[in-house]
Amino acid sequence: MAGLGLTPSDFGLFGITDPDERTIALEGKLLPTLVTLGEGCLSGLGRVVGRTLLLHPVKPPRRKGVAPEEVRVAFSDTSKGIRGVPHLAIVATRDHLHARVAVRGDSPRRAAMRAALEREAANLARKGKPFRRLRAFHGWNFEELPELAPAHSAAFWVELGDELAPDQDGFDVGVSWPREDARSIALGDLLGVFRDLAPLYKLLAA
């Protein structure tokens, strides 16, 4: 099977030290590569989650004097974007490629999603194998990967729901591969991980 089209030079763009130059390079080179990858995933992801998804390129944030540490493309079931709604994402960082499920930003739907996580926490904890490689990336410093999440515990899922409280930013969880593996990962491998993550997305999007 064909690989994902990512090369060491794509990840090497994070080595550009000047913040403005890195932003321009990531937006002009890496983001289009992820968009192409996302387009190739779109129909497969729709089948995985059982609904039509739309692709949303996410431009690296432009903050004065701060170099971006990630580039992502996201998939949601609305044309209005991803703010405050559950979405899937393919994320590239300096040393890793990630498949994520996230809710970031405010929206009226967050209270219902939080309640769903609390209600289904025990069932999610019993899923076992699909979530064995799950990590929580909200608050990550982009250095060493966060520890594996205790997804076998219902308390973890309740606490994940707490990240959707009105005073919180939301959550971002998923599975990662080292950059060295990115060239050998096939599209089917990526879709397989999203299939594992699908129960969480479906719960949030219901």
Side-chain angles (χ1 to χ4, degrees):
M1 296 178 67
L4 301 181
L6 291 164
T7 67
S9 62
D10 291 318
F11 292 95
L13 297 173
F14 289 101
I16 298 173
T17 55
D18 181 83
D20 292 334
E21 290 181 8
R22 187 192 297 184
T23 301
I24 292 169
L26 293 175
E27 191 172 315
K29 296 179 181 179
L30 183 51
L31 183 57
T33 299
L34 292 186
V35 168
T36 299
L37 174 56
E39 290 170 344
C41 288
L42 202 51
S43 62
L45 285 175
R47 290 191 295 273
V48 164
V49 301
R51 62 178 62 208
T52 300
L53 297 176
L54 300 175
L55 174 64
H56 304 279
V58 181
K59 290 185 177 182
R62 290 180 178 264
R63 301 188 182 100
K64 186 175 178 60
V66 179
E69 294 289 354
E70 72 167 37
V71 178
R72 72 172 58 203
V73 292
F75 309 85
S76 76
D77 62 0
T78 173
S79 61
K80 296 180 180 179
I82 60 172
R83 182 175 178 80
V85 300
H87 59 273
L88 305 174
I90 301 170
V91 183
T93 58
R94 182 185 299 266
D95 292 317
H96 295 88
L97 180 70
H98 313 256
R100 306 268 191 89
V101 179
V103 180
R104 309 198 307 179
D106 245 345
S107 85
R109 295 174 59 178
R110 285 181 38 151
M113 290 187 281
R114 183 184 184 187
L117 281 168
E118 183 173 353
R119 183 184 68 246
E120 296 296 324
N123 288 331
L124 289 167
R126 284 195 291 267
K127 292 287 184 185
K129 185 177 178 181
F131 296 128
R132 71 190 187 283
R133 296 165 56 198
L134 194 73
R135 302 176 193 269
F137 289 94
H138 36 281
W140 183 38
N141 62 5
F142 298 99
E143 295 179 4
E144 290 188 14
L145 287 176
E147 293 183 0
L148 290 172
H152 60 280
S153 166
F156 166 76
W157 298 103
V158 173
E159 290 171 4
L160 197 66
D162 290 342
E163 298 295 335
L164 299 177
D167 58 341
Q168 300 298 315
D169 294 330
F171 67 76
D172 196 340
V173 298
V175 173
S176 304
W177 296 269
R179 59 186 287 180
E180 295 81 9
D181 294 347
R183 295 183 70 179
S184 59
I185 297 169
L187 186 60
D189 298 326
L190 183 62
L191 290 174
V193 169
F194 278 120
R195 188 174 294 110
D196 288 342
L197 298 175
L200 174 58
Y201 174 83
K202 290 178 179 180
L203 176 64
L204 298 169

